[in-house]
Each structure stands twice: as structure tokens, then as C-alpha cells.
């Protein structure tokens, strides 16, 4: 598959030892350890202040919804915002923003696509000729593409970059953490999920990478009655709070099941969304 100006690197380091104590000097795996893999650097035309990775245990819990809402609110708070859609096999960021134009390649690199409010985005769908073309690459190639989104795109000055990671805690998200200078992680869950297991995995991964988990978003947490305004916690309440307490994660955001949000995302209108819970969450997290 030919993609404008992209050559895919096949370079994912070894995994780190599961009993890492961060003392590289005494560790027999230190020469191949993932934590020691050098971070990628953005190109000379880009200056990126903070990078936040948005992760989830599985697909469909609303990771892209949360990434895009966080980007929208960071932008409303006056930040210069960019989003990398690292969910290569299930890209949805361009669609949610209604920014389906193609990225343009220049001599110096690739220009990101701009949303209506001026958020910069890059996604595999910004590069593929047809959005419906399947991406049938193996993990290392996908990870290489994500790195190149960071290194080969002409981002300019960015205050806040969000990375919409592939679902799960496997090789690709791990490579994103290894190779991009991530400042913090946001975990997205849904109440049907085994929250404690997902968060525990994310916490372990984050500890290995020395990256803090800044917050948990419990998406589709409750349904708000349109007639009386009462909140109904259809799948139960409390699990996320307990887990956050256990791991000392201070920021929790609960988002309702809201068909108007789904309509806005499906119609590329997410920049018009009003979600009070998200406003506070972003204020607390994005510095
Ligand atoms: P993921 O990135 O985790 O695969 P998405 O963000 O693409 O998940 O969300 C999956 C589907 O659920 C999308 O159709 C999206 O519009 C919808 N969705 C996500 N969050 C909500 C919500 N809070 N209320 C209603 N629909 C939602």
C-alpha cells in the first residue's frame, strides 16, 4: 500500500522485564529494555509542549469520543491543540471532527489537517486515498506509522497534543509510550468493563514507562432522564471510584450516554458539543 511520503519503520524494541525495579545498572535485560529506547524527536518545524495519551482496555468504549472532547475543551481554553489518531486499524478522529480532507505532503514533511476550530489532526485516513481501504499491517508497522505521525508531520507550535491510542495494552500502545515523550495518560472505561483489571494493566504499563495516569473517564456511565433530569446508573456505580482510590488517581470524569453526543460525533460536529463534566476534567488535567 502506497501512502504519500511515508516509509514504514519496522522497529519495536523488546519488552521490558515484568519485574523491573528501574535499576538498569544491575539488570541483565538493560541492553534491550523497552524503557531505554530513545524517544522520537519532532522535526525542526514543530515544538510540542505536552503530550497526553488516551487509552482504553478495548474498542468501542468511547476513547475517540473522549480524545476529541478533550481536544475541543483544551482548544476552548485557549491552547494550540493537535491530535494524533494512533488507532490505525480503527481511525475515527477525522470523521468525528468532520475533517475528512486529505493531508498534503510538502518537501519538509506532511501538513496536518485542520478542523473547523483550528485543531490539527493526523490520521491514517488523512493519508489513504479511500477512507474505506483496510489497513492490514502487523503491529510493528502500525507502531512505525504512529512514530512517523509524530516525527514527519509539520505540527508547528503546539501546547497540547492528544494521542488517541489503539485499544488494549498490547504492543502498539506500548510502543507509543516507549517512543513518544508522553507526559500523562488518560484511561477511558465503560461501566460494563472490568474497570479494575483495565486500570491495573494501564497503571503497571505507566509505572514501567514512568508516566503518570492523570485521570479516568467512565464513559456511558449513566442515562439522564430528558423529562425529570434524574441520573440512572444502569450498569451500577462505584467501581471506577474504588479503583481510582486504590491507585491514587485524583481525576474522574463520568460522561452520560447521550444520543446527541453520538449524533454530533457521527455527523462530524463534535466541536459544537457542550459537556460540562469534560470542561472541569480538562481544566484539572491539562496544564
Ligand atoms: P472507541 O474509540 O473506544 O472505539 P468511539 O469513541 O468510536 O469508541 O465510540 C464508539 C461509539 O459509541 C461511537 O459511535 C460513538 O459516537 C458512541 N459513543 C461514545 N461515547 C458516547 C456517549 N457518551 N453517549 C453516546 N454515544 C457514545
Amino acid at each position: 500500500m502506497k501512502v504519500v511520503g511515508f516509509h514504514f519503520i519496522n522497529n519495536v524494541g523488546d519488552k521490558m522485564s515484568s519485574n523491573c525495579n528501574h535499576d538498569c545498572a544491575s539488570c541483565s535485560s538493560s541492553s534491550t529494555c523497552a524503557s531505554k529506547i530513545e524517544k522520537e524527536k519532532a522535526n525542526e518545524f514543530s515544538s510540542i509542549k505536552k503530550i497526553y495519551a488516551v487509552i482504553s482496555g478495548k474498542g468501542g468504549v468511547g476513547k475517540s469520543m473522549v480524545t476529541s472532547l478533550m481536544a475541543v475543551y483544551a482548544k476552548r481554553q485557549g491552547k494550540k491543540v493537535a491530535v494524533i489518531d494512533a488507532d490505525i486499524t480503527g481511525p475515527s478522529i477525522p470523521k468525528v471532527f468532520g475533517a475528512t480532507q486529505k493531508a498534503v505532503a510538502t518537501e519538509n514533511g506532511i501538513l496536518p489537517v485542520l478542523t473547523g476550530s483550528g485543531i490539527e489532526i493526523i490520521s491514517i485516513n488523512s493519508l489513504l486515498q479511500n477512507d474505506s481501504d483496510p489497513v492490514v499491517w502487523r503491529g510493528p508497522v502500525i507502531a512505525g506509522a504512529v512514530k512517523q505521525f509524530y516525527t514527519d508531520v509539520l505540527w508547528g507550535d503546539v501546547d497540547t497534543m492528544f494521542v488517541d491510542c489503539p485499544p488494549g495494552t498490547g504492543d502498539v500502545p506500548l510502543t507509543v509510550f516507549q517512543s513518544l515523550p508522553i507526559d500523562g495518560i488518560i484511561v477511558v472505561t465503560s461501566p460494563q468493563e472490568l474497570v479494575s483489571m483495565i486500570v491495573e494493566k494501564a497503571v503497571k504499563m505507566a509505572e514501567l514507562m514512568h508516566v503518570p495516569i492523570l485521570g479516568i473517564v467512565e464513559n456511558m456511565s449513566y442515562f439522564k432522564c430528558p423529562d425529570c433530569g434524574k441520573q440512572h446508573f444502569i450498569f451500577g456505580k462505584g467501581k471506577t471510584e474504588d479503583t481510582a482510590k486504590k491507585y491514587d488517581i485524583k481525576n474522574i470524569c463520568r460522561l452520560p450516554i447521550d444520543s446527541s453526543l453520538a449524533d454530533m460525533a457521527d455527523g462530524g460536529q463534535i466541536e459544537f458539543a457542550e459537556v460540562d463534566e469534560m470542561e472541569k476534567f480538562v481544566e484539572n488535567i491539562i496544564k
Side-chain angles (χ1 to χ4, degrees):
M1 186 174 300
K2 193 167 179 293
V3 180
V4 269
F6 257 47
H7 56 284
F8 291 99
I9 315 162
N10 187 340
N11 176 24
V12 185
D14 287 358
K15 286 205 179 95
M16 54 193 351
S17 164
S18 56
N19 42 24
C20 170
N21 62 3
H22 308 304
D23 178 9
C24 302
S26 65
C27 178
S28 59
S29 314
S30 75
S31 60
T32 55
C33 176
S35 75
K36 295 188 76 187
I37 287 178
E38 219 172 285
K39 301 280 182 209
E40 298 290 333
K41 290 194 175 58
N43 53 66
E44 59 183 300
F45 304 98
S46 305
S47 157
I48 298 154
K49 287 194 187 129
K50 294 272 183 198
I51 309 183
Y52 301 95
V54 184
I55 67 170
S56 66
K58 60 176 185 179
V61 298
K63 179 176 49 60
S64 302
M65 172 73 86
V66 169
T67 307
S68 47
L69 285 173
M70 289 191 79
V72 166
Y73 274 96
K75 180 76 188 166
R76 286 181 194 168
Q77 288 165 14
K79 300 271 197 281
K80 290 179 194 151
V81 180
V83 179
I84 288 182
D85 187 357
D87 196 349
I88 302 281
T89 52
S92 47
I93 293 294
K95 183 168 180 274
V96 167
F97 280 97
T100 48
Q101 62 274 38
K102 297 298 161 195
V104 176
T106 72
E107 254 178 36
N108 295 320
I110 294 167
L111 292 169
V113 169
L114 278 186
T115 70
S117 73
I119 295 170
E120 295 181 326
I121 61 173
I122 197 76
S123 167
I124 197 68
N125 273 359
S126 318
L127 300 165
L128 292 174
Q129 252 160 12
N130 298 308
D131 286 1
S132 54
D133 285 347
V135 174
V136 285
W137 302 330
R138 291 187 193 278
V141 182
I142 293 177
V146 175
K147 286 188 216 171
Q148 286 185 262
F149 283 167
Y150 179 66
T151 57
D152 295 6
V153 172
L154 305 172
W155 294 108
D157 283 335
V158 172
D159 297 314
T160 311
M161 174 178 270
F162 295 97
V163 183
D164 185 6
C165 286
T169 44
D171 258 2
V172 180
L174 188 66
T175 307
V176 173
F177 292 129
Q178 283 167 232
S179 35
L180 305 192
I182 303 285
D183 293 286
I185 296 171
I186 291 100
V187 183
V188 183
T189 68
S190 70
Q192 306 98 310
E193 266 191 303
L194 292 167
V195 176
S196 58
M197 193 183 76
I198 304 300
V199 175
E200 202 161 304
K201 274 181 199 262
V203 167
K204 283 186 184 152
M205 198 156 102
E207 271 175 2
L208 289 172
M209 298 294 155
H210 308 286
V211 180
I213 297 203
L214 300 174
I216 305 180
V217 179
E218 187 181 273
N219 190 33
M220 305 193 231
S221 180
Y222 59 91
F223 172 73
K224 191 172 172 184
C225 172
D227 300 323
C228 69
K230 190 171 176 216
Q231 296 179 354
H232 297 273
F233 289 82
I234 298 161
F235 304 104
K237 198 180 170 185
K239 280 180 280 180
T240 302
E241 223 153 61
D242 294 346
T243 308
K245 242 185 227 156
K246 183 171 169 195
Y247 294 105
D248 198 26
I249 300 168
K250 302 263 175 329
N251 297 296
I252 301 181
C253 175
R254 283 205 173 81
L255 295 183
I257 303 170
D258 181 345
S259 60
S260 69
L261 266 184
D263 287 345
M264 279 189 227
D266 291 347
Q269 303 281 310
I270 202 67
E271 285 167 298
F272 298 98
E274 294 292 340
V275 186
D276 295 346
E277 297 86 344
M278 188 49 83
E279 183 171 7
K280 286 184 212 107
F281 185 69
V282 170
E283 255 172 29
N284 290 338
I285 285 190
I286 307 302
K287 301 294 172 206

